[in-house]
Amino acid sequence: MHAPQETAPQETGGPRVGLEHLLARPGQAAGWGRTGLLTNPSGVTRDLTPAAVALARAGLTPERLFGPEHGVDGSGAPGEAPELERDAASGLPTTVLYHLSAEETARRLAGLDTLIVDLQDVGVRFYTYVSTVRDVLRAARLRPLRIVILDRPNPLGFTVEGPLLDPAFESYVGISAQLPLRHGLTIGEVTRVLAAAEGVPVHVIPTDAPDAWHPQRPWVPPSPNLPDLDATALYPAGALVEALDASEGRGTALPFRLFGAPGLDAQALAARLNALNLGVTARPAHFTPTTSKHAGQRCAGVHLHRTGPTGDLLPLGLALLTALEEQGAARNADWLQKLLGVPSGDLPATPEAALHAAAAWQDAARAHARTLRPHHLYAR
């Protein structure tokens, strides 16, 4: 790849992300050689041009696109990564890098000198895009490969929440004990944490306004069930309901805002949650998911409405999970341990007791976060 002359793009207002900083100074790519791009629909400029197309216009055409969970085009369901022969927007060939061994990841990256990563993360340990980045770093130990992260803001901000991950529960949704549940890092900073552990270098092109989503930048869903910022703001709490046989709103128009199951008492559940003053208002709701848990069945539960800025989310998630259990929802202990990163038995049975446990987990996570300061790229 030959780096072109510097040509700054026309400004349209608002802060730049890493992709736009690279487009403004494409000479940064001098010496990168043959490149690939790990991306999905969230990798766009502020005018919604896909990263692959924008890079090609700047003379930085990747040889191949790579996709995480949900695939390059974002069409895959949770746990899926569909293979496409070519990307429709750029015409480039594609490959997925999801839940692979380091050896298989390295094989799929063969022939490249540099892998550029442009993905929108959402700031939670169990969101698997950082897991794919970890796999790429491990592949870079097996063959020479420069890793370049085009950084993007953390839409949940820099707030850190627990629990910390017990190494006994490491999995693809919990890859590192260095990362609290809500890690308060951008994807570039997460990569620096993981790269230090793997012993490989990484280059991050920073983003402006790293700890907030700017109103002038459109939100492109990074995955199918995060259609807007409201769903994203509640995701760290609502995703814990994945560990129950209750619906977390997948298969409805309100994922991670609707929660329930057949036969529950919607009025009682809403009253139970509203009495706890968790920063949301729970409205009794009835819904019928079209996919996922309880597809085609009428569910009773709650619709959560945020009443203020995103604050601590762990207490809300734990209270929601245990309140649903009080009404008879059954727990998948193995999945809960992977999501929370602690033994399932450490989570008490009532919302009040769970909130007490949350306080200790929060203190431990925030104390641990101080050890991550050497990997910070932005002031806190």
Side-chain angles (χ1 to χ4, degrees):
M1 179 180 67
H2 300 288
Q5 296 180 348
E6 305 286 333
T7 55
Q10 183 178 354
E11 289 294 335
T12 58
R16 288 174 172 175
V17 295
L19 171 63
E20 290 152 348
H21 280 294
L22 176 58
L23 296 173
R25 294 181 51 239
Q28 296 176 81
W32 285 5
R34 297 164 296 178
T35 65
L37 175 65
L38 172 58
T39 193
N40 69 1
S42 69
V44 292
T45 64
R46 74 191 80 186
D47 67 359
L48 299 177
T49 303
V53 174
L55 290 171
R57 289 174 181 171
L60 305 176
T61 304
E63 295 196 1
R64 179 175 288 271
L65 304 185
F66 298 87
E69 183 180 6
H70 311 297
V72 171
D73 69 352
S75 67
E80 295 181 355
E83 291 274 13
L84 306 174
E85 185 175 347
R86 290 193 176 271
D87 172 55
S90 65
L92 292 170
T94 75
T95 302
V96 295
L97 301 176
Y98 173 58
H99 220 325
L100 304 175
S101 67
E103 291 77 13
E104 178 60 17
T105 301
R107 188 188 70 77
R108 296 188 181 198
L109 295 170
L112 298 180
D113 301 300
T114 299
L115 181 69
I116 304 168
V117 179
D118 190 20
L119 292 168
Q120 179 61 56
D121 189 43
V122 297
V124 186
R125 184 176 64 215
F126 48 65
Y127 203 63
T128 65
Y129 296 170
V130 297
S131 307
T132 293
V133 170
R134 189 279 312 270
D135 293 346
V136 165
L137 294 169
R138 289 184 170 178
R141 293 190 314 196
L142 301 178
R143 65 170 67 249
L145 184 68
R146 177 187 289 105
I147 308 297
V148 177
I149 307 294
L150 305 182
D151 212 2
R152 290 181 173 269
N154 182 336
L156 298 180
F158 288 159
T159 300
V160 175
E161 297 192 75
L164 297 173
L165 176 69
D166 182 330
F169 302 115
E170 285 188 6
S171 71
Y172 206 71
V173 293
I175 56 169
S176 172
Q178 289 293 98
L179 300 177
L181 182 67
R182 181 178 170 192
H183 50 65
L185 305 169
T186 66
I187 192 169
E189 292 174 324
V190 169
T191 305
R192 284 165 58 88
V193 173
L194 299 174
E198 299 296 336
V200 298
V202 64
H203 176 58
V204 179
I205 298 181
T207 183
D208 302 334
D211 61 339
W213 194 261
H214 196 275
Q216 290 181 285
R217 179 169 291 276
W219 176 258
V220 176
S223 55
N225 286 289
L226 295 179
D228 52 41
L229 286 168
D230 276 343
T232 305
L234 291 174
Y235 172 70
L240 297 182
V241 177
E242 292 180 4
L244 299 179
D245 63 357
S247 170
E248 63 277 0
R250 296 184 192 272
T252 77
L254 296 168
F256 301 111
R257 284 165 286 183
L258 281 175
F259 304 90
L264 300 191
D265 184 334
Q267 298 289 336
L269 181 61
R272 184 79 168 98
L273 292 171
N274 288 333
L276 297 170
N277 297 314
L278 296 166
V280 297
T281 296
R283 178 184 64 83
H286 297 85
F287 58 96
T288 302
T290 58
T291 61
S292 193
K293 288 181 282 185
H294 304 302
Q297 301 179 65
R298 182 177 182 271
C299 295
V302 292
H303 176 190
L304 297 186
H305 297 258
R306 289 193 298 150
T307 56
T310 302
D312 283 2
L313 293 167
L314 177 66
L316 172 61
L318 297 180
L320 176 62
L321 186 146
T322 49
L324 286 164
E325 286 187 311
E326 285 182 334
Q327 289 217 12
R331 180 184 300 189
N332 179 333
D334 180 64
W335 191 240
L336 182 60
Q337 290 171 162
K338 289 178 179 176
L339 292 176
L340 275 179
V342 298
S344 175
D346 287 0
L347 179 62
T350 68
E352 290 80 6
L355 295 181
H356 181 74
W361 287 337
Q362 302 290 55
D363 290 344
R366 287 163 184 166
H368 172 80
R370 291 194 288 269
T371 69
L372 301 181
R373 287 175 181 169
H375 306 294
H376 289 175
L377 292 166
Y378 313 99
R380 263 60 172 178

